[in-house]
Amino acid sequence: DARVTQTPRHKVTEMGQEVTMRCQPILGHNTVFWYRQTMMQGLELLAYFRNRAPLDDSGMPKDRFSAEMPDATLATLKIQPSEPRDSAVYFCASGLGQLSSYNSPLHFGNGTRLTVT
Amino acid sequence: QKEVEQNSGPLSVPEGAIASLNCTYSDRGSQSFFWYRQYSGKSPELIMFIYSNGDKEDGRFTAQLNKASQYVSLLIRDSQPSDSATYLCAAEGSSNTGKLIFGQGTTLQVKP
């Protein structure tokens, strides 16, 4: 059963530390999304890639966040330096191109629960 | 104004009743709409998608779309306690890039 794999599942860190979250999309999926979920804001789109190229990262605080896809099997989201307000669940999701053209759902990973103290 | 808006709830219905979940969106260019279900502590999972005006039925679920009113809804018939979850409405961006914008989600509680 193909699935999106995210690591780590949980991360507790101190303010100012660097945090790296990793995502392995489903093999063959060409679109990767990073979302952040909090009680207050819900699911916010941070960045997304198609065929490894960044298409939109307008939802991401540029001064501290960065997202990359070094290869088709790995997407990373880094926060440096981390702040308490970054505490949230970070989801990676992968899919196939235009969601309206395929009967193919966006598959979510299990998320990384980040706590910054 | 958020691009996709939902009432956060909670919406409480008795077992066996019809649950009606609503969503409005601001981007008139959006063509495709999705309903995801998220259980507490879990990741969202797709339950329905719709891109034509009107109704689309799948088992106990019916999605309704009215593009003129920019309104999407999800009806759950014969609600079960296992339907208790947060339901997220999402709209695909007007450029058909696959970019999904989610609403805040509506928490549904089905009481036995």
Side-chain angles (χ1 to χ4, degrees), chain A residues 33 35 37 39-43 45 48 50 55-56 58 91 97-100 102-103 105-106 108-110 113, chain B residues 2 31-32 34 36 38 41-46 49 51 56 88 92 95-104:
Chain A
F33 298 78
Y35 287 93
Q37 188 173 41
M39 288 292 291
M40 292 297 294
Q41 300 296 328
L43 261 176
L45 178 63
Y48 75 108
R50 176 173 292 164
L55 289 189
D56 187 342
S58 58
F91 285 106
Q98 293 180 8
L99 299 175
S100 61
Y102 297 88
N103 189 10
L106 196 61
F108 280 79
N110 288 326
R113 183 174 294 277
Chain B
K2 281 187 173 288
Q31 297 295 319
S32 303
F34 302 79
Y36 281 75
Q38 187 176 24
K42 302 294 185 183
S43 56
E45 55 179 335
L46 181 71
F49 76 93
Y51 50 81
K56 179 180 179 182
L88 300 162
E92 186 178 4
S95 54
N96 272 341
T97 58
K99 173 181 176 179
L100 278 192
I101 304 298
F102 283 84
Q104 192 88 351

Side-chain angles (χ1 to χ4, degrees), chain A residues 6 23 37-38 43 48-49 54 60 62 66 69-71 85 87-88 92 95 99-100 103-104 109 116:
Chain A
Q6 287 187 250
C23 169
Q37 188 173 41
T38 60
L43 261 176
Y48 75 108
F49 297 77
M60 201 165 65
K62 300 292 190 303
S66 62
M69 277 201 76
D71 60 60
R85 59 180 167 151
S87 298
C92 174
L99 299 175
S100 61
N103 189 10
S104 171
V116 184

Side-chain angles (χ1 to χ4, degrees), chain A residues 30-32 49-55 68-74:
Chain A
N30 65 342
T31 310
V32 174
F49 297 77
R50 176 173 292 164
N51 298 324
R52 296 177 54 202
L55 289 189
E68 295 179 344
M69 277 201 76
D71 60 60
T73 64
L74 177 64

Side-chain angles (χ1 to χ4, degrees), chain A residues 1 6 10 20 23 46 57 61-62 69 77 82 89 92 109 111 116:
Chain A
D1 187 21
Q6 287 187 250
H10 302 273
T20 299
C23 169
L46 297 175
D57 61 1
K62 300 292 190 303
M69 277 201 76
L77 180 66
S82 58
V89 179
C92 174
V116 184

